[in-house]
């Protein structure tokens, strides 16, 4: 059986178009890998914030602020994209904003806390918009029974992009450290590398990916606030069907919990490695590189397993894996066991992220895909506030006990398993069909 069968795609969709769509995952993964996970978070804590006692908490506040903006605005932006069939155009604008704001991070030096915070908020908001708009193309490309594997193609290819940005950055950091350079000299260059890979790789998306949606009825052109009123009206209509969409609601609640735990790993794994286990910058980057390899393999293989096993059982397996990972990280007193925890995290990262994206595609009505992915982003951004802030508060209240903070993260994954239990995939799929 072919790894990338044409039969997995909707009629009229060519493989090169799916490649173009997957290239966006390839392009933007460097941002999460280098900026959020491996490099800039520790740079923010140690350099921009001067290593103060409140520095980790300040980093979590910045992530929370950007997530709050996305949480409030993305559902409306998604509804607007559906009504005007402008996902691709909005994706271009948000991509440009994220690339430019990432370049601004290169200007952050010692003590430049406000510049670091402002550029981080803009870049993370724009990244989140782009990630959501790109995800909304998935049901247009993949057949309903192949959402898992096509989503997995994108996620696994995306991690390859993350490894490219991280690998180039790591090579430069190792060279710069050999020349006796400090973090204030080599970290800004890694931001330029990340922005360049993001901008260049995303060009394939805009060349190859088609906007298949058609505009829906909207207020007449030129009517003051008409577009905004129409988008908000669409959201209100969805809210009126909340009882009918209860399985999608269960998925949102589950997503808030398990994505909160993932947000901790993405935003604070490098901080944990350096603060608890004494990792240096190059060691941390190599650790994250290993996580990306595991995540790419996990997303690709798991996508096929998800379509066979079923979306709900597959997601449950990954959540159990996350619980195991947090316990291993808590038990680690040296690099060895923490490297094992990192591999488990990578396998679960790719598969759980891919599973969630595919499940939203099952529950999204055909004419409201961007809106429903916007609501999923509402849940994930709420998670990005709750998870890192909880971690930051625990470290603050316990005088810097990162071990207790990472162990508390397991509760998010356990609660996610509990909230997944009532979800009924067949009922949710039928509800989505009824709204078309």
């Amino acid at each position: 059986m072919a790894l990338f069968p044409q039969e997995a795609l909707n009629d009229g969709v060519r493989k090169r178009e799916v490649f173009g769509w997957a290239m966006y995952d390839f392009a933007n993964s460097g941002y999460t890998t280098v900026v959020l996970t491996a490099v800039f978070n520790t740079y923010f804590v140690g350099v921009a914030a001067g290593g103060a006692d409140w520095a980790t908490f300040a980093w979590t506040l910045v992530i929370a602020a950007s997530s709050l903006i996305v949480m409030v605005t993305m559902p409306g932006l998604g509804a607007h994209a559906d009504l005007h069939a402008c996902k691709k155009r909005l994706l271009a604008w948000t991509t440009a904003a994220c690339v430019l704001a990432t370049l601004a991070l290169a200007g952050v030096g010692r003590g430049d806390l406000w510049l670091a915070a402002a550029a981080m908020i803009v870049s993370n908001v724009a990244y989140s918009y782009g990630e959501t708009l790109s995800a909304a193309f998935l049901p247009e490309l993949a057949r309903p029974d192949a959402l898992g594997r096509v989503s997995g193609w994108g996620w696994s290819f995306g991690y390859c992009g993350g490894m490219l940005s991280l690998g180039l950055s790591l090579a430069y950091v190792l060279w710069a450290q050999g020349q006796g350079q400090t973090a204030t000299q080599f970290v800004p260059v890694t931001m330029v590398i990340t922005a360049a890979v993001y901008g260049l790789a995303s060009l394939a998306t805009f060349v190859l990916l088609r906007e298949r949606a058609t505009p829906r009825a909207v207020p007449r052109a030129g009517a003051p606030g008409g577009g905004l009123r129409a988008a908000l009206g669409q959201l209100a209509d969805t809210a009126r069907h909340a009882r009918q969409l209860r399985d999608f609601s269960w998925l949102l609640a589950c997503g808030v919990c398990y994505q909160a735990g993932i947000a901790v790993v993405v935003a604070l794994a490098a901080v944990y490695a350096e603060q608890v286990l004494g990792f240096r910058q190059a060691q941390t980057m190599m650790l994250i590189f290993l996580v990306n390899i595991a995540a790419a393999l996990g997303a690709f293989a798991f996508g096929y397993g998800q379509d066979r096993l079923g979306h709900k059982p597959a997601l449950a397996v990954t959540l159990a894996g996350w619980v195991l990972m947090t316990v291993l990280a808590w038990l680690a007193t040296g690099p060895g066991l923490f490297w094992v925890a990192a591999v488990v995290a990578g396998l679960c990262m790719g598969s759980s992220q891919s599973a969630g994206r595919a499940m939203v595609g099952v529950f999204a009505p055909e004419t409201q895909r961007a809106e429903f992915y916007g609501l999923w982003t509402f849940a994930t951004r709420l998670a990005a506030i709750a998870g890192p802030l909880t971690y930051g508060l625990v470290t603050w209240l316990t005088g810097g006990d990162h071990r207790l903070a990472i162990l508390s993260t397991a509760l998010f994954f356990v609660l996610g398993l509990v909230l997944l239990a009532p979800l009924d995939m067949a009922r949710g799929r039928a509800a989505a069909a009824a709204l078309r």
Side-chain angles (χ1 to χ4, degrees):
M1 184 177 66
L3 284 178
F4 304 100
Q6 181 66 42
E7 293 74 20
L9 308 180
N10 287 323
D11 293 339
V13 177
R14 302 179 67 179
K15 289 183 182 180
R16 68 178 185 181
E17 188 175 358
V18 178
F19 171 77
W21 171 76
M23 276 298 291
Y24 199 81
D25 281 345
F26 183 96
N28 72 0
S29 288
Y31 176 82
T32 55
T33 304
V34 178
V35 178
L36 294 179
T37 306
V39 178
F40 196 79
N41 50 0
T42 59
Y43 186 79
F44 182 99
V45 171
V47 177
D53 291 341
W54 43 263
T56 299
F57 187 49
W59 170 252
T60 62
L61 284 175
V62 168
I63 298 300
S66 61
S67 297
L68 181 61
I69 293 170
V70 176
M71 187 177 75
V72 171
T73 58
M74 189 62 235
L77 185 65
H80 175 83
D82 285 327
L83 290 169
H84 296 272
C86 60
K87 297 191 299 295
K88 187 174 178 179
R89 184 167 69 250
L90 290 175
L91 184 62
W93 282 107
T94 58
T95 300
C98 188
V99 169
L100 292 174
T102 303
L103 285 173
L105 292 175
V108 175
R110 191 169 298 280
D112 292 334
L113 182 63
W114 291 108
L115 173 60
M120 270 305 308
I121 289 172
V122 173
S123 64
N124 202 25
V125 167
Y127 162 80
S128 300
Y129 286 163
E131 181 183 43
T132 305
L133 292 165
S134 173
F137 283 94
L138 173 61
E140 296 180 9
L141 302 174
R143 294 186 184 276
D145 61 350
L147 286 169
R149 78 192 80 162
V150 177
S151 179
W153 298 350
W155 275 110
S156 59
F157 196 46
Y159 285 114
C160 294
M163 285 187 282
L164 174 62
S165 295
L166 185 61
L168 292 173
S169 298
L170 177 59
Y172 181 80
V173 167
L174 291 173
W175 174 85
Q177 288 180 335
Q179 301 299 309
Q181 294 186 20
T182 63
T184 55
Q185 294 172 292
F186 59 71
V187 167
V189 177
T190 66
M191 298 298 102
V192 175
I193 291 171
T194 303
V197 172
Y198 196 161
L200 292 173
S202 66
L203 294 177
T205 301
F206 301 111
V207 171
L208 298 174
L209 185 62
R210 289 175 51 193
E211 176 77 72
R212 282 182 162 74
T214 55
R216 299 168 61 191
V218 297
R220 68 183 185 280
L228 176 61
R229 284 200 300 269
L232 294 178
Q234 178 59 61
L235 283 173
D237 183 65
T238 300
R240 284 193 291 270
H241 291 88
R243 180 175 297 180
Q244 184 178 345
L245 298 168
R246 60 184 178 274
D247 294 293
F248 180 64
S249 300
W250 281 117
L251 178 61
L252 293 181
C254 172
V256 169
C257 293
Y258 86 78
Q259 292 280 357
I262 293 176
V264 170
V265 176
V266 169
L268 295 156
V271 174
Y272 185 89
E274 294 189 11
Q275 295 293 322
V276 177
L277 301 172
F279 277 51
R280 297 183 61 193
Q281 184 77 68
Q283 289 177 297
T284 302
M285 294 174 75
M286 286 188 283
L287 178 77
I288 302 304
F289 197 85
L290 175 65
V291 169
N292 274 262
I293 294 174
L297 295 173
F300 186 81
F302 195 82
Y304 289 83
Q306 182 180 346
D307 287 333
R308 289 178 175 272
L309 182 62
H311 297 290
K312 179 179 172 179
L315 180 57
V317 170
T318 70
L319 298 187
W322 277 116
V323 174
L324 173 63
M325 184 282 302
T326 54
V327 173
L328 291 175
W330 172 66
L331 290 172
T333 56
L337 188 57
F338 194 71
W339 281 87
V340 175
V343 172
V344 175
L347 292 172
C348 294
M349 179 87 70
S351 53
S352 57
Q353 297 278 44
S354 177
R357 180 165 71 177
M359 291 172 76
V360 177
V362 173
F363 292 150
E366 184 176 340
T367 57
Q368 295 172 254
R369 285 166 176 162
E371 178 189 351
F372 271 56
Y373 276 101
L375 291 169
W376 176 245
T377 298
F378 177 95
T380 60
R381 292 306 94 192
L382 177 59
I385 295 172
L389 272 182
T390 300
Y391 186 102
L393 282 170
V394 171
T395 59
W396 187 29
L397 295 174
T398 59
D401 191 341
H402 287 265
R403 289 189 180 279
L404 182 59
I406 199 68
L407 184 62
S408 68
T409 302
L411 297 176
F412 287 119
F413 298 117
V414 172
L415 191 53
L417 277 167
V418 172
L419 293 172
L420 181 64
L423 188 147
D424 186 314
M425 293 299 301
R427 184 175 60 196
R429 186 181 289 109
L435 288 180
R436 290 172 183 167

